[in-house]
Amino acid sequence: MYRDETKVVNIGNVAIGGGNPIAIQSMTNVKTEDVEACVAQILKLEEAGCEIIRCTVPNEAAAKAIAKIKKQIHIPLVADIHFDYKMAIAAMENGADKIRINPGNIGSIDKVKAVVDVAKERNIPIRVGVNSGSLEKELVAKYNGVTAEGIVESALDKVHIIENLGYDNMVISIKSSDVMMCVKAHELLAGKTVYPLHVGITESGTLTSGNIKSAVGLGIILNQGIGDTIRVSLTGDPVEEIKSAKLILRTLGLRKGGIEVVSCPTCGRTRIDLIGLANKVENMVSGIPLDIKVAVMGCAVNGPGEAKEADIGIAGGDGEGLLIKKGEIVRKMPESELLDALKEELLNWK
Ligand code: SF4
C-alpha cells in the first residue's frame, strides 16, 4: 500500500507516513496574532481530537505569536505561508513545527533557497501545497485546461525545486474543489512520489456539502491506501472538521476508538424528540473514551431489535423509554431520564 511505503516525516512529535496512523489536522480561523483567541481555539480542537494545527502567518506579529502559542498548546503547529518568504523564516525561528508553502508563490529561487536553508538547519518539514485554482498558465495550456495531470506536474515541479536545493523533508498536498479531479490527481501522484500526502478537498463548502464532498473524496482516496494526514475543510467551526475527519477514518476502518452512535431515521411510530435526543447523545459521548456502539432508537416496537448490534442503547416509547443492552431491555424509565441513565451506564462501563 502506498501509505505504508511513504517516507516518514516528523511534524513535532507526530510522525506521518510510513504506515503511521493518519493524522487529523485542522486550521484556526481567528487571527494568529490574537494569542489568547488562538490558544483557546486550539485547546478546543485538541479536546475534539485534532492532532496537528495550522495557523496562517501573514505578518511579523503572527510569526512572533507562534512562540507564545506553542507554549500553551500540546500539538504540533504548522505555519501557513502565502507569499512572503520572510514570514516562512520568521515562523520557523519562532518554533513552527512545519511550514506550508507553495514555492511558486514565494518568488525567486534565492528566496526559496533562503527558506529551505533555515528548514534544513532546523530539520523542519516543508509541506509543498498546490491548488487547482493557482495552476500555472503553461500547465493549463499544456493540458488544455485545469486537469489532474497538470496539478500533479505542478506539485512535482515544486518538489524538485526543493530536492535540488538538497532537502527532502517534505509532505505534498494537491487540492481541487472538483472532487473527482482531486481523486484522480492523488491516484496519479501516488505512483510518482515517496513523500507522505496531506489530503483534503478544498473549498468544499458548508457543513452539508463540505461533509459529503469530503467523505466521498477522502473515502475513495484513503481507501486506496493513499493519504497520511487529512483535513476536512468546512465553512464553519473547525471543531466540526475534527468530528467529520474522525468519522471518515472510523467508517473506513482506519481508526479505532471512540463511541459510535447509531440512530434510527425516525418514522410515523416515533413519539419522542428523537432527533434532539440523538444530537444530545452524540455530544455527550464525544468525550468518553470507550470503543463501543450506542444505539438511539425511536420506538419500543422495533427499537430493541434494531439496536441488537449495539453494545447499549435507548429506545423511546410513548412518554417512557427503554434502556437496552445487546438487544435486551434492562430497564424502563420516564423519557426525561433516558439521557442521564445512558450517561451513567457509559461512565461505569466495564
Ligand atoms: S426504530 Fe421505531 S421509530 Fe425508529 S425507524 Fe424503526 S420503527 Fe421507526
Side-chain angles (χ1 to χ4, degrees):
M1 217 173 9
Y2 175 74
R3 182 181 303 127
D4 294 333
E5 282 151 23
T6 50
K7 215 173 127 51
V8 174
V9 169
N10 292 297
I11 303 154
N13 58 4
V14 174
I16 63 162
N20 276 298
I22 298 164
I24 296 174
Q25 312 206 9
S26 185
M27 191 165 179
T28 51
N29 61 5
V30 294
K31 279 195 171 155
T32 307
E33 49 270 47
D34 183 347
V35 174
E36 204 180 315
C38 205
V39 168
Q41 189 168 54
I42 296 171
L43 294 179
K44 259 171 74 185
L45 286 161
E46 283 183 6
E47 201 186 325
C50 181
E51 292 156 326
I52 299 171
I53 188 69
R54 182 158 48 112
C55 301
T56 185
V57 180
N59 52 44
E60 195 73 38
K64 288 207 172 105
I66 292 179
K68 295 181 191 147
I69 294 167
K70 280 215 47 177
K71 283 193 190 125
Q72 302 174 65
I73 64 170
H74 315 89
I75 54 176
L77 188 153
V78 182
D80 198 76
I81 309 298
H82 280 114
F83 302 103
D84 191 347
Y85 79 105
K86 289 191 202 124
M87 293 309 117
I89 293 173
M92 289 188 276
E93 287 170 350
N94 279 284
D97 297 292
K98 180 169 94 172
I99 54 165
R100 186 258 184 192
I101 57 169
N102 177 346
N105 292 342
I106 294 288
S108 69
I109 188 71
D110 289 347
K111 290 178 180 168
V112 177
K113 183 175 181 307
V115 172
V116 172
D117 284 347
V118 177
K120 213 189 282 183
E121 202 180 288
R122 296 170 180 252
N123 200 23
I124 294 171
I126 297 176
R127 172 180 146 203
V128 175
V130 299
N131 194 314
S132 61
S134 57
L135 195 61
E136 293 86 342
K137 284 191 204 103
E138 307 79 67
L139 290 172
V140 175
K142 178 176 172 184
Y143 290 103
N144 222 355
V146 175
T147 61
E149 288 80 1
I151 300 170
V152 170
E153 186 170 327
S154 174
L156 291 176
D157 284 349
K158 311 293 178 316
V159 165
H160 293 147
I161 292 173
I162 294 176
E163 282 177 337
N164 289 338
L165 292 168
Y167 200 51
D168 67 353
N169 191 3
M170 272 184 278
V171 176
I172 308 177
S173 68
I174 47 174
K175 290 195 178 170
S176 166
S177 53
D178 178 324
V179 177
M180 294 319 286
M181 188 191 291
C182 195
V183 168
K184 188 173 172 197
H186 281 87
E187 290 168 353
L188 288 173
L189 184 61
K192 293 176 191 270
T193 184
V194 294
Y195 295 107
L197 301 184
H198 166 117
V199 188
I201 309 293
T202 193
E203 293 136 22
S204 51
T206 51
L207 276 189
T208 305
S209 71
N211 272 327
I212 293 174
K213 285 187 189 177
S214 293
V216 171
L218 291 175
I220 301 173
I221 294 167
L222 294 170
N223 201 40
Q224 296 182 67
I226 302 168
D228 304 277
T229 176
I230 61 168
R231 179 191 176 198
V232 172
S233 300
L234 298 173
T235 307
D237 183 345
V239 167
E240 295 299 326
E241 299 186 351
I242 303 302
K243 287 189 197 163
S244 302
K246 283 164 90 174
L247 201 51
I248 290 171
L249 291 179
R250 264 215 308 264
T251 307
L252 290 164
L254 291 168
R255 191 174 273 237
K256 298 249 174 304
I259 294 179
E260 182 185 354
V261 178
V262 294
S263 52
C264 82
T266 71
C267 73
R269 282 198 178 118
T270 320
R271 294 282 178 274
I272 58 166
D273 171 24
L274 191 81
I275 299 169
L277 189 59
N279 280 312
K280 281 183 195 148
V281 170
E282 207 162 75
N283 283 334
M284 183 264 284
V285 303
S286 67
I288 301 178
L290 290 172
D291 184 7
I292 59 170
K293 196 184 262 191
V294 173
V296 183
M297 311 306 281
C299 75
V301 181
N302 286 344
E306 291 181 26
K308 244 185 203 142
E309 282 170 26
D311 299 279
I312 186 162
I314 50 180
D318 211 348
E320 62 174 12
L322 310 169
L323 189 71
I324 307 153
K325 279 189 183 168
K326 294 276 178 201
E328 301 293 324
I329 297 169
V330 290
R331 203 144 48 98
K332 264 190 192 172
M333 67 196 77
E335 181 190 329
S336 57
E337 292 174 16
L338 275 175
L339 191 68
D340 285 344
L342 178 64
K343 187 172 180 182
E344 200 186 315
E345 290 283 338
L346 293 174
L347 293 177
N348 296 308
W349 193 260
K350 288 194 186 84

